[in-house]
Amino acid sequence: MNRKKFKIHKDDTVEILAGKDKGKRGSVVRVLTKKDAVIVSGCNIVKKAMKKRSQQDQGGIVEIEAPLHISNVGIVCKKCGRPVRIGFKIDGEKKFRVCRKCGDIL
């Protein structure tokens, strides 16, 4: 099984670069490697018809966060305060993600 590696991880703060929620920020809830997508909290909300699963469960129309393609989000640097590209720095055995603008560790 060949797993893809992405530069954006769970709990990273990202800004949406394209689409209906362009400019919104949120944290990454989940990374979907098979679809090359991420789910961002509070962004890309869609309505979905859900079926009733049990007697207590309520069906109907619910609002959920839909996945966004990973190319449409950019990680936000804490020092720069804006979406940046990510580079890597190797220090001995450790590998760090760094901001391409200021060089700060993400």
Side-chain angles (χ1 to χ4, degrees):
M1 192 166 116
N2 208 2
R3 288 185 52 163
K4 294 179 191 174
K5 286 284 201 173
F6 292 124
K7 295 178 181 180
I8 295 174
H9 302 156
K10 186 180 175 183
D11 296 326
D12 283 342
T13 303
V14 293
E15 185 172 314
I16 297 173
L17 304 174
K20 67 178 182 179
D21 290 330
K22 183 178 177 178
K24 281 190 181 177
R25 289 186 182 191
S27 64
V28 175
V29 177
R30 200 162 154 219
V31 179
L32 306 168
T33 53
K34 288 184 179 177
K35 288 186 173 182
D36 296 350
V38 291
I39 296 175
V40 182
S41 63
C43 298
N44 201 28
I45 303 289
V46 295
K47 291 187 178 192
K48 184 176 179 182
M50 295 293 274
K51 204 173 205 175
K52 197 173 175 179
R53 299 252 179 243
S54 63
Q55 287 294 78
Q56 302 91 345
D57 191 29
Q58 205 169 9
I61 296 168
V62 293
E63 291 184 343
I64 61 161
E65 295 149 345
L68 286 159
H69 196 269
I70 203 149
S71 66
N72 293 334
V73 297
I75 190 164
V76 177
C77 176
K78 290 174 181 73
K79 192 174 175 185
C80 301
R82 50 183 279 198
V84 292
R85 292 185 301 142
I86 302 170
F88 289 101
K89 192 176 278 185
I90 298 168
D91 185 36
E93 292 291 311
K94 292 265 189 176
K95 186 176 180 182
F96 299 104
R97 296 181 301 160
V98 294
C99 171
R100 285 272 181 93
K101 290 209 182 285
C102 64
D104 196 40
I105 294 173
L106 296 171

